[in-house]
Amino acid sequence: MSNGADKRKVLTIRDIIERKRTARKIVMVTAYDALFGRLVDEADVDIVLVGDSLGHVVQGRDSTLPVTLGDMIYHGRAVRRGVTNALLVIDMPFLTYQVSEEQALLNAGRVMQETGAQAVKLEGGDERIARAIGTLTGIGVPVMAHLGFTPQSVHALGGPRVQGRGDDAAERLLADARRVEEAGAFALVLELMPAAVARRVTESLTIPTIGIGAGVGCDGQVLVLPDLLGLNDRFRPRFLKPYANLAEDVRKAVGAFRDEVRAGTYPDDQHSF
Ligand code: KIV
């Protein structure tokens, strides 16, 4: 069966930026391996993100902090083998870009060289992060920024809480957004904030925003793939809409296999040589 993938365009940074001008919403999902990379690419998403959320959904950790550069490169290379049309972006994990501009350059350079991704994503919007973004974009590494709830700061933020509530907090968020845009980011993830704040940020920038728990006023939306698929059935925050119930499907399918193996009815003649 043809999925039409070969007829689709290979998306570039320019195409993503252009989406804002033409008011065509950007669709981004995460992937962590080649198989799901291929499936989401065939589903015609615009951006595949190898998120450091893999710390939660692949490694079973309770934060993204322990995820290493090696982990991101390993999963990034796998996803790259599945993704042919969507733009591939890889998260820079905790403490691989905050120490110095040189550190950011060397580590982002490794990610680009060793995975074949088209861009990296950095969390935060203070002066230090803006300098890192400027350094990377200065040598031609496209950067997606990430503001609002930034999971690498989960402890400082007191957990996954809505950010930008209240006038001062909203102003700070807007200032950070302008700073990362000025530094050269080509897009900005807005995570967990009131819809009105995300809309205001979106309307104030020329680069596209991609929301998660940030309302419909963003230029696009992102979900973590196992959450979108209903595979991660112990995680149901308010913003999440699961579009399938694969956790139940997995339990049912494996249970059916278990029953047939125990009954001696699998494999039958049709599935034997
Ligand atoms: O790590 C991740 O998957 C992310 C998305 C939630 C945007 O940063």
Side-chain angles (χ1 to χ4, degrees):
M1 191 185 83
S2 163
N3 53 45
D6 41 6
K7 283 190 235 104
R8 286 188 293 119
K9 190 176 180 335
V10 176
L11 288 173
T12 66
I13 301 287
R14 288 175 68 135
D15 295 319
I16 301 302
I17 295 170
E18 181 68 4
R19 291 287 162 89
K20 182 164 184 130
R21 208 183 55 76
T22 56
R24 184 169 165 200
K25 294 270 188 184
I26 296 164
V27 180
M28 179 161 104
V29 296
T30 67
Y32 312 99
D33 61 27
L35 175 59
F36 278 103
R38 175 172 67 76
L39 292 176
V40 298
D41 194 58
E42 288 172 358
D44 197 18
V45 300
D46 301 312
I47 305 177
V48 177
L49 171 70
V50 183
D52 60 356
S53 51
L54 70 82
H56 292 283
V57 298
V58 178
Q59 298 176 337
R61 299 180 187 274
D62 59 9
S63 85
T64 59
L65 298 185
V67 176
T68 66
L69 193 69
D71 293 336
M72 296 312 300
I73 290 173
Y74 175 86
H75 288 277
R77 291 171 78 160
V79 174
R80 175 75 286 171
R81 294 185 196 111
V83 173
T84 53
N85 292 76
L87 191 87
L88 182 64
V89 181
I90 300 195
D91 257 340
M92 295 297 295
F94 179 61
L95 222 52
T96 63
Y97 57 94
Q98 296 96 335
V99 175
S100 68
E101 288 165 61
E102 188 184 358
Q103 184 213 29
L105 205 55
L106 290 172
N107 285 333
R110 263 195 75 192
V111 168
M112 299 294 282
Q113 261 184 337
E114 295 181 33
T115 66
Q118 283 113 317
V120 294
K121 178 163 78 60
L122 268 55
E123 293 184 8
D126 64 12
E127 296 290 349
R128 178 195 295 257
I129 302 301
R131 277 197 300 276
I133 293 173
T135 301
L136 295 181
T137 54
I139 61 146
V141 175
V143 176
M144 177 179 282
H146 185 157
L147 295 175
F149 173 65
T150 43
Q152 291 171 21
S153 307
V154 62
H155 300 304
L157 297 174
R161 314 168 87 92
V162 172
Q163 303 295 305
R165 277 204 166 119
D167 289 350
D168 290 353
E171 286 307 323
R172 279 197 299 277
L173 231 159
L174 186 57
D176 284 356
R178 289 195 170 120
R179 192 176 298 119
V180 297
E181 175 175 66
E182 231 165 76
F186 75 93
L188 169 61
V189 169
L190 296 176
E191 179 162 359
L192 287 190
M193 66 185 64
V197 174
R199 186 181 289 280
R200 184 162 165 230
V201 170
T202 301
E203 287 170 356
S204 306
L205 301 184
T206 57
I207 59 171
T209 63
I210 304 173
I212 174 163
V216 76
C218 299
D219 297 306
Q221 297 292 326
V222 54
L223 282 178
V224 167
L225 189 63
D227 302 344
L228 182 162
L229 296 176
L231 257 177
N232 192 9
D233 58 352
R234 295 188 181 170
F235 181 67
R236 287 289 152 88
R238 173 170 160 174
F239 69 81
L240 174 62
K241 178 174 174 186
Y243 286 81
N245 189 3
L246 293 198
E248 194 47 30
D249 289 349
V250 168
R251 283 189 286 260
K252 274 200 195 132
V254 176
F257 172 65
R258 175 204 61 213
D259 289 346
E260 291 196 5
V261 169
R262 287 182 183 157
T265 54
Y266 176 85
D268 54 12
D269 287 349
Q270 197 193 337
H271 297 97
S272 301
F273 302 101

